Amino acid sequence: MAKRWVVACAVALLGAAGVQAVGTAAHAVGGGTAASGDALRFAAKLDVGGVRSCTGALITPWWLVTATSCFADGGAVPAGAPALPTTATLGRPDLATSAGLVVRVDRVVPHPDRGVVLARLSRPAYGVPVVKVSTAAPTVGDTVVAGGYGRTGDTWVPTTLRTADFTVAAVAAGTLELTGTGDATICKGDAGGPALRRVGSGFELVGVHVASTQGGCLGETETRRTAVEARLDGLATWISQNAVTPGAQQLALTATRIGLLKGDYGTQVKEGGLSAAWTTLLANAKQIVVDGDRIGVLTNDGVAYVKDGATTATFVNEYSNVKQLALSANRIGIVTNAGVALVKDGGLSAAWVTEYQGVQQIALAGDRIGVLTNAGAALVKDGGLSAPWVTQFTGVRQIALSADRIGVVTTAGAARVKDGGLSALWEIQATSGADVLSLAGDRIGLLTTDRVAKVKDGALTAAFVTQYTNVRQLDIAADRIGVVTLDGPALVKDGGLSALWTTVWP
């Protein structure tokens, strides 16, 4: 029997009919053991349109490598956005846990003849280790470790990353042939999974799974336990040319300042016009916030720094173990890694006040504080730090505040905004397809799930005006609108909705 070339993981729920295989078989590591510890946290579980899944490996904070066939739908895979919405679950060897993160894939780049594809994440994988790509192929007789999230000998859809040893049976131009050790096999669900060489206490990546005979896999009658890997050695130039770090991740705007989080985690700020010079801030950051004369930077290791005054002022360490930072006038808000929302009012050395527990997001605007709970409830208080909370909406995945406006994006992708008191009525801004809301004065910004940035000016019932497409992030402040594009350039316009864009970075 010829080896079956992998197309996708192929399981779909079909109502009462239960789970059925769909399409040509992909594969996973069966007969192995569940991965333990942090050694293989670079492995990624890919969900492609909810109809198939694969495995990949993170090789830079922005890029992972997997099999081209994961994105094939009966034809060649073009470079660009994947044909089906795709997410990568990273840093989560046990899918039943909440470890790591889930990130959208926004671009794929297939190799012309090696059967591998680079997949870019919509945001870098903070805290997830990467694996080094080997510069040399293994030799016949070497032992490699194969990993995958797919089917085993007795489970259709496992929830853990599994690994097993394989022996290199043959080395050809661009491929390796592996034979399972013991009952190790490659089954459905692990297309693009890593083949690894042990190096000291870690690994380096020598190949990705592209084909398997699937012997021993649940539902298969084949007995051979062989597989084909696409070799990655020799692809260093192709990877460096295509797995490029985007120039920018995030813009933060005020009427006079622009803050920038670069793709390499550095931060900088400019004050004045759009062509003003940049002042370098902190490295190793994951968020930048600007408001009035204050600048805040949250580092990748969870330390929140804030400075007050000139762009060259000294940062003050405000809190550690932080996952989100917010600023508004004299208030500083944080959400800790444990989900505790705290706010201080006054100087940088003011005392913190615990506002709420079980929080995923905090928003500040004037005297208002908003929190989004882990359960998806949006609550807002108006006035002092001890004012009572008022529930605004449930089933929410983002909250936004500005002056007298409150906005929410629901888990179903609808966007709503209210203007006035906490009991004001909601006005629907989008019935579906909303990703992120931005509020500033009389402007409402909406970034859609298909990466279109829209802004309206005036009443809640005003019409949105499309500002830019292929957008990673949108921010608005006063008369300024800023976007970071998917490929990295950051642009800002100042004035009306039809004002011209200025590229501010790079």
Side-chain angles (χ1 to χ4, degrees):
M1 180 185 296
K3 293 178 178 64
R4 303 179 183 179
W5 286 95
V6 180
V7 178
C9 157
V11 282
L13 287 174
L14 303 177
V19 180
Q20 296 185 7
V22 178
T24 309
H27 51 242
V29 176
T33 59
S36 60
D38 293 336
L40 274 79
R41 290 182 60 238
F42 53 78
K45 170 69 178 285
L46 293 171
D47 182 294
V48 183
V51 296
R52 47 183 193 268
S53 66
C54 291
T55 303
L58 191 70
I59 58 172
T60 82
W62 284 95
W63 292 86
L64 56 85
V65 63
T66 185
T68 307
S69 55
C70 295
F71 298 95
D73 288 299
V77 176
L84 296 174
T86 302
T87 59
T89 301
L90 300 128
R92 192 178 297 177
D94 183 351
L95 298 175
T97 72
S98 59
L101 65 162
V102 180
V103 186
R104 182 172 48 85
V105 171
D106 64 28
R107 180 174 175 80
V108 294
V109 181
H111 190 274
D113 55 27
R114 194 64 71 93
V116 298
V117 66
L118 295 168
R120 187 179 66 190
L121 305 175
S122 62
R123 59 188 174 92
Y126 301 126
V128 179
V130 301
V131 61
K132 178 183 177 182
V133 177
S134 176
T135 58
T139 59
V140 173
D142 285 353
T143 298
V144 298
V145 178
Y149 282 98
R151 187 181 303 184
T152 68
D154 58 9
T155 305
W156 284 102
V157 188
T159 59
T160 58
L161 174 71
R162 299 183 70 83
T163 65
D165 285 351
F166 285 75
T167 301
V168 177
V171 179
T175 61
L176 306 170
E177 184 169 331
L178 305 183
T179 301
T181 300
D183 61 355
T185 188
I186 299 293
C187 309
K188 294 181 179 178
D190 201 28
L196 304 157
R197 174 192 286 123
R198 291 184 176 90
V199 179
S201 59
F203 299 95
E204 63 181 20
L205 186 64
V206 297
V208 298
H209 317 323
V210 293
S212 173
T213 50
Q214 302 186 72
C217 301
L218 185 61
E220 298 293 332
T221 58
E222 172 64 44
T223 59
R224 290 176 298 160
R225 299 170 183 266
T226 58
V228 173
E229 307 292 307
R231 286 171 48 184
L232 296 183
D233 58 286
L235 299 187
T237 299
W238 176 75
I239 290 172
S240 65
Q241 289 175 342
N242 291 284
V244 178
T245 297
Q249 298 186 50
Q250 179 218 340
L251 279 171
L253 305 179
T254 71
T256 59
R257 287 180 171 177
I258 302 173
L260 177 73
L261 172 62
K262 298 189 295 180
D264 64 1
Y265 309 110
T267 54
Q268 53 193 32
V269 67
K270 64 168 63 182
E271 182 163 33
L274 302 187
S275 60
W278 291 103
T279 297
T280 300
L281 301 174
L282 301 179
N284 190 36
K286 63 180 177 181
Q287 185 193 4
I288 185 168
V289 188
V290 293
D291 187 87
D293 288 334
R294 285 185 170 175
I295 302 169
V297 172
L298 177 59
T299 65
N300 273 316
D301 53 2
V303 181
Y305 293 93
V306 179
K307 62 168 66 179
D308 199 345
T311 59
T312 55
T314 301
F315 276 110
V316 175
N317 184 329
E318 291 291 335
Y319 216 89
S320 299
N321 297 315
V322 175
K323 67 178 179 181
Q324 190 218 337
L325 171 66
L327 301 176
S328 178
N330 289 325
R331 287 181 172 178
I332 304 172
I334 59 169
V335 178
T336 70
N337 289 329
V340 180
L342 301 99
V343 177
K344 62 168 60 179
D345 197 342
L348 300 186
S349 59
W352 290 102
V353 175
T354 298
E355 293 290 336
Y356 215 86
Q357 307 275 349
V359 172
Q360 57 177 302
Q361 185 207 343
I362 189 168
L364 304 178
D367 288 335
R368 284 184 170 175
I369 303 171
V371 294
L372 175 60
T373 70
N374 292 333
L379 301 92
V380 178
K381 62 169 59 179
D382 200 343
L385 301 187
S386 59
W389 291 101
V390 177
T391 299
Q392 298 294 307
F393 215 84
T394 57
V396 173
R397 58 180 170 83
Q398 189 228 343
I399 183 171
L401 300 179
S402 174
D404 289 334
R405 288 181 170 178
I406 303 170
V408 295
V409 176
T410 70
T411 54
R416 298 169 182 258
V417 176
K418 62 168 60 178
D419 196 343
L422 300 187
S423 59
L425 298 179
W426 292 100
E427 186 74 34
I428 296 176
Q429 304 297 307
T431 56
S432 62
D435 189 24
V436 180
L437 266 176
S438 299
L439 304 179
D442 286 335
R443 284 185 168 175
I444 301 173
L446 176 67
L447 181 59
T448 68
T449 53
D450 56 0
R451 317 323 295 168
V452 177
K454 304 177 180 181
V455 179
K456 63 168 61 178
D457 199 344
L460 300 185
T461 54
F464 278 109
V465 177
T466 296
Q467 298 293 305
Y468 219 89
T469 58
N470 295 317
V471 173
R472 183 183 304 282
Q473 185 250 345
L474 165 70
D475 193 30
I476 59 176
D479 287 334
R480 288 181 168 178
I481 303 170
V483 295
V484 176
T485 64
L486 289 178
D487 292 325
L491 304 96
V492 178
K493 62 168 61 177
D494 198 340
L497 300 186
S498 60
L500 298 178
W501 291 100
T502 297
T503 300
V504 295
W505 188 262

